[in-house]
C-alpha cells in the first residue's frame, strides 16, 4: 500500500441496518443508536438497535442456511473460492475500510492501513485455504471394524466482538467459521458497527449465500445477551472483558453451548540489560501505546533490569514526549483518542490511583486537547507488584515500569496475576530467553519482538485471559465437532 501524505477524506457510511437473511432491515423496535467519532465526539450515523426479536430472526436465518443449503451442500472447494473472493473485495476496498475504522474507532489512519486491514485480508485468505482441507482420520481399532472421524461444522455460531480492532476481530471469527461450514450471527460492538456492516455487504457480493452471515448491531446486555441465551445458537465466540465472559458462561451453563473467549491481560514485558536497547525501547513503547493502549495483549507491566532502568526510562520518556497526538485522519498522527467517555474516565481514574498509591508519573497524566477522548502517553515509574496499576487492566496509554534484579525472581513476578495472554523477553542470551519462554504462563511469548501476529500462529489466553485459541489450526478446531463413525466389517 502506498504511503499516504495527505489528510485522508472521511468515508461514506453506506450501511446502518441489521443484515438478516441477506436483507437489510430496520430493527424490529424501530430504535436506533448513534455511533460517534471519538476524536470529535460527533454522531456519525444512526444505526439500527437490534434486540431479542432481531436476534431471533437472525438465528432463524442462520439455522435455515445451515440445514437447507446451499452452503452446507456446496463443495468445500467452492466455499473456499468464495472466501478468497471476499478477501479480494476487502483488499480492493481496504483504503475506504481503513478510513471507516478511523471514523468509527478513532485509530490513526496510518495504523488502520498498515495493520488492521492487511491483517484482516490475510486472516480471511489463510482460512479460505482451509475450506477444502478439513478432514477426519481413519483409526485402527480392536476387532473387525472400520473407524473413521468426520469434522463437522459446530453449527450456528454467535460471535460477539469488541471495538478495538473491529475488522480484524471480525476476520478472526468469520474466517474459521466460514471455512468449517458454519453459519453465524455477529453482534459488533455498539461503539464500532460500521466496518462489520460494510463487510457483510461485501460477503454477499462475494457469493456467500444469504443467511450464512447475519449481523445484528446493538448493545451487549440486550442484543448480545439475547444471542448468548438463544437456544438455536450452538457456540459463542466472544472477545472482550473478563466479567462479560463470566456472565456468558453463567448464561450458557444450562445449554452447555461451546465457548471460546479471548479476554484481557496485564502482559509482562521483560527487558534485560544485555538486550539490544534500541530495539527493546522501541518495541516496549509500541507494545503499550499502539492503538492508544487498547490492546488485549498490551505490554502494560514493563520489567526493566535494575542496572539499565534509568537509561531505559529516559529513552521511553523521549519517545512519549515526541509522540504525535491529534486528528486520526492525518497520516502523521501516531495516537488518536480513546474509544469513548467510559474508557476515558476509566483510564483517568487509574492515573489518579497510580499517583495516590505512590508511583511517579514521569510523562502524561492529563487529557490532551479540549475535544475528543485523548489521553497523553502516560508513564509511571516506581511501580511495585502490589499497586493497582500493576495488577488491573487499564486498556489505555498508561505504562507501569517495574524494576527487577535477577532472572530468578522474574517468572514468579511475571506470573503473579490471574491473566496469561502474552509476554515478551528482550535479551541477547538465548538460554535466558528460552528459560522464560517456558516458565511464563501466557498464550504467546515474544522474544526480542512484540505484537507479531500471523494468521497461522495460534493466539489466546492461559488462566483468566481466555478459553481456546483463535488463528492457526487451533482456531479452526474450535468451529468443528468431531464425529466418530464405526462400521462392522463382519
Ligand atoms: P465488553 O466485554 O462489555 O464488550 C465487548 C463486546 O461484548 C461488545 O460487543 C459488547 O456489546 C458485548 N457485551 C457486553 N455485555 C454483554 C452481555 N452481557 N452479553 C453479551 N454480550 C455483551 O467490554 P467493554 O465494556 O467494551 O470494555 C470494558 C473493558 O474490557 C475494557 O476496558 C478492557 O479492559 C476490556 N476489553 C478487552 C478487549 C480485548 O480485546 N480482549 C476488547 C474490549 C474490551
Ligand atoms: Mg461492557
Amino acid at each position: 500500500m502506498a504511503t499516504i501524505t495527505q489528510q485522508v477524506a472521511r468515508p461514506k457510511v453506506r450501511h446502518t441496518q441489521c443484515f438478516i437473511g441477506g436483507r437489510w432491515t430496520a430493527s424490529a423496535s424501530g430504535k436506533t443508536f448513534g455511533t460517534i467519532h471519538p476524536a470529535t465526539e460527533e454522531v456519525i450515523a444512526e444505526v439500527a438497535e437490534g434486540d431479542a426479536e432481531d436476534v431471533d430472526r437472525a438465528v432463524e436465518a442462520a439455522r435455515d442456511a445451515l440445514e437447507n443449503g446451499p452452503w452446507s451442500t456446496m463443495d468445500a472447494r467452492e466455499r473456499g473460492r468464495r472466501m478468497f473472493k471476499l478477501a479480494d473485495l476487502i483488499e480492493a476496498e481496504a483504503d475506504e475500510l481503513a478510513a471507516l475504522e478511523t471514523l468509527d474507532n478513532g485509530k490513526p489512519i496510518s495504523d488502520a492501513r498498515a495493520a488492521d486491514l492487511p491483517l484482516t485480508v490475510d486472516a480471511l485468505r489463510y482460512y479460505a485455504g482451509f475450506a477444502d482441507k478439513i478432514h477426519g482420520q481413519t483409526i485402527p481399532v480392536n476387532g473387525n471394524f472400520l473407524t473413521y472421524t468426520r469434522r463437522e461444522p459446530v453449527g450456528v455460531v454467535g460471535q460477539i466482538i469488541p471495538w478495538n480492532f473491529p475488522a480484524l476481530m471480525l476476520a478472526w471469527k468469520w474466517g474459521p467459521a466460514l471455512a468449517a461450514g458454519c453459519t453465524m450471527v455477529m453482534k459488533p460492538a455498539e461503539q464500532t458497527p460500521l466496518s462489520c456492516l460494510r463487510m457483510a455487504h461485501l460477503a454477499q457480493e462475494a457469493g456467500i449465500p444469504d443467511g450464512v452471515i447475519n449481523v445484528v448491531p446493538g448493545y451487549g446486555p440486550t442484543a448480545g445477551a439475547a444471542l448468548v441465551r438463544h437456544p438455536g445458537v450452538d457456540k459463542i465466540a466472544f472477545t472482550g472483558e473478563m466479567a462479560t465472559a463470566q456472565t456468558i458462561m453463567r448464561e450458557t451453563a444450562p445449554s452447555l453451548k461451546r465457548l471460546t473467549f479471548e479476554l484481557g491481560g496485564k502482559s509482562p514485558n521483560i527487558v534485560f540489560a544485555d538486550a539490544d536497547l534500541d530495539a527493546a525501547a522501541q518495541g516496549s513503547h509500541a507494545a503499550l501505546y499502539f492503538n492508544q493502549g487498547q490492546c488485549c495483549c498490551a505490554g502494560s507491566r514493563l520489567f526493566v533490569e535494575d542496572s539499565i532502568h534509568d537509561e531505559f526510562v529516559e529513552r521511553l520518556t523521549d519517545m512519549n514526549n515526541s509522540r504525535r497526538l491529534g486528528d486520526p485522519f492525518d497520516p502523521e498522527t501516531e495516537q488518536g483518542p480513546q474509544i469513548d467517555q467510559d474508557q476515558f474516565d476509566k483510564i483517568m481514574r487509574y492515573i489518579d490511583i497510580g499517583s495516590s498509591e505512590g508511583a511517579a508519573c514521569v510523562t502524561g497524566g492529563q487529557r490532551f486537547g479540549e475535544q475528543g477522548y485523548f489521553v497523553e502517553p502516560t508513564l509511571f515509574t516506581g511501580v511495585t507488584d502490589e499497586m493497582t496499576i500493576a495488577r488491573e487492566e487499564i486498556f489505555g496509554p498508561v505504562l507501569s515500569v517495574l524494576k527487577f534484579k535477577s532472572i530468578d525472581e522474574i517468572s514468579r513476578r511475571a506470573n503473579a496475576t490471574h491473566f496469561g495472554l502474552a509476554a515478551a523477553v528482550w535479551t541477547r542470551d538465548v538460554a535466558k530467553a528460552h528459560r522464560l519462554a517456558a516458565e511464563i504462563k501466557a498464550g504467546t511469548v515474544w522474544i526480542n519482538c512484540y505484537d507479531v501476529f500471523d494468521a497461522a500462529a495460534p493466539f489466546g489466553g492461559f488462566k483468566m485471559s481466555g478459553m481456546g485459541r483463535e488463528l492457526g489450526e487451533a482456531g479452526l478446531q474450535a468451529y468443528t465437532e468431531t464425529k466418530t463413525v464405526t462400521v462392522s466389517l463382519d
Side-chain angles (χ1 to χ4, degrees):
M1 214 171 285
T3 25
I4 34 171
T5 50
Q6 282 171 14
Q7 179 80 14
V8 169
R10 286 193 177 200
K12 268 205 202 75
V13 174
R14 300 167 200 269
H15 311 279
T16 56
Q17 292 189 305
C18 302
F19 184 70
I20 298 174
R23 295 182 41 212
W24 296 97
T25 54
S27 62
S29 68
K31 282 204 249 177
T32 62
F33 65 99
T35 184
I36 57 166
H37 180 44
T40 59
E41 303 172 44
E42 76 200 280
V43 175
I44 308 160
E46 286 290 328
V47 176
E49 185 187 327
D51 202 338
E53 214 178 314
D54 308 285
V55 167
D56 265 350
R57 288 168 45 229
V59 172
E60 201 180 304
R63 177 61 55 191
D64 184 59
L66 181 80
E67 284 170 8
N68 302 319
W71 191 239
S72 50
T73 50
M74 189 182 287
D75 286 343
R77 199 152 303 150
E78 179 58 25
R79 269 197 282 116
R81 266 198 292 274
R82 295 182 192 204
M83 291 178 68
F84 278 117
K85 180 82 193 292
L86 172 59
D88 291 346
L89 291 175
I90 292 172
E91 189 172 51
E93 220 180 277
D95 285 353
E96 189 160 348
L97 281 164
L100 205 54
E101 292 292 68
T102 293
L103 185 64
D104 217 6
N105 168 284
K107 63 175 65 202
I109 187 69
S110 308
D111 288 349
R113 286 197 183 187
D116 296 68
L117 267 297
L119 287 169
T120 297
V121 171
D122 197 54
L124 288 170
R125 285 211 178 112
Y126 172 79
Y127 281 112
F130 262 120
D132 60 354
K133 298 170 196 71
I134 300 171
H135 47 69
Q137 297 172 309
T138 48
I139 299 172
V141 296
N142 287 342
N144 193 20
F145 300 100
L146 165 66
T147 292
Y148 64 93
T149 56
R150 292 166 47 84
R151 284 177 63 198
E152 299 184 357
V154 73
V156 174
V157 185
Q159 304 177 321
I160 299 172
I161 57 171
W163 41 263
N164 52 345
F165 295 93
L168 186 59
M169 293 302 97
L170 172 154
W172 287 17
K173 291 185 172 48
W174 282 9
L178 290 169
C182 296
T183 61
M184 62 217 79
V185 177
M186 175 165 276
K187 195 205 79 63
E190 55 272 29
Q191 295 88 344
T192 54
L194 299 179
S195 57
C196 175
L197 293 171
R198 181 61 189 166
M199 288 192 280
H201 166 84
L202 295 179
Q204 189 171 47
E205 211 176 300
I208 308 289
D210 293 347
V212 172
I213 291 174
N214 304 276
V215 179
V216 179
Y219 291 99
T222 52
L227 189 56
V228 165
R229 285 194 205 114
H230 203 290
V233 173
D234 300 296
K235 167 189 163 80
I236 295 288
F238 168 78
T239 301
E241 187 176 16
M242 198 174 70
T244 311
Q246 290 169 326
T247 303
I248 293 174
M249 223 168 172
R250 268 194 303 275
E251 293 288 343
T252 54
S255 63
L256 292 173
K257 283 188 177 70
R258 277 48 183 152
L259 298 175
T260 42
F261 291 150
E262 202 267 274
L263 313 173
K266 195 75 194 175
S267 298
N269 180 29
I270 301 160
V271 181
F272 284 95
D274 65 7
D276 172 343
L277 294 186
D278 283 336
Q282 265 163 37
S284 301
H285 174 82
L288 189 281
Y289 297 106
F290 174 62
N291 209 43
Q292 294 66 246
Q294 302 168 142
C295 294
C296 50
C297 56
S300 51
R301 281 189 296 153
L302 175 59
F303 290 95
V304 181
E305 192 166 354
D306 220 354
S307 61
I308 54 155
H309 174 273
D310 294 356
E311 179 202 343
F312 202 74
V313 166
E314 228 168 86
R315 288 171 190 253
L316 295 171
T317 303
D318 289 346
M319 279 187 272
N320 282 6
N321 288 337
S322 62
R323 192 165 174 79
R324 285 187 297 265
L325 277 70
D327 179 1
F329 281 102
D330 179 344
E332 299 285 312
T333 294
E334 295 169 314
Q335 184 173 318
Q338 309 307 128
I339 189 73
D340 62 13
Q341 186 74 49
D342 284 355
Q343 290 294 310
F344 176 87
D345 292 342
K346 172 181 166 183
I347 294 160
M348 296 312 286
R349 213 159 46 234
Y350 275 113
I351 292 174
D352 283 346
I353 293 172
S355 298
S356 70
E357 290 185 359
C361 184
V362 175
T363 72
Q366 305 291 326
R367 174 183 198 145
F368 170 85
E370 269 116 56
Q371 193 191 35
Y373 310 113
F374 292 88
V375 178
E376 292 176 345
T378 301
L379 189 157
F380 278 104
T381 57
V383 180
T384 60
D385 296 354
E386 305 71 39
M387 287 183 185
T388 307
I389 57 168
R391 289 186 291 107
E392 295 181 11
E393 183 174 52
I394 301 174
F395 228 62
V398 182
L399 178 59
S400 297
V401 185
L402 303 94
K403 281 186 191 177
F404 75 95
K405 283 205 176 64
S406 89
I407 187 168
D408 295 321
E409 73 188 78
I410 200 65
S411 46
R412 178 187 51 77
R413 292 179 62 194
N415 287 334
T417 166
H418 54 265
F419 289 118
L421 190 59
V425 181
W426 301 83
T427 175
R428 287 195 169 96
D429 180 337
V430 288
K432 272 189 210 162
H434 291 294
R435 174 177 158 190
L436 288 183
E439 287 179 2
I440 292 174
K441 292 180 173 34
T444 293
V445 179
W446 286 294
I447 295 172
N448 295 329
C449 58
Y450 210 100
D451 275 347
V452 177
F453 280 91
D454 192 282
F459 183 78
F462 279 35
K463 300 195 273 185
M464 293 178 84
S465 285
M467 265 171 53
R469 293 291 177 271
E470 293 191 290
L471 302 182
E473 277 201 72
L476 193 60
Q477 267 154 27
Y479 284 85
T480 65
E481 291 276 12
T482 299
K483 179 183 282 175
T484 302
V485 180
T486 294
V487 188
S488 168
L489 297 180
D490 280 336

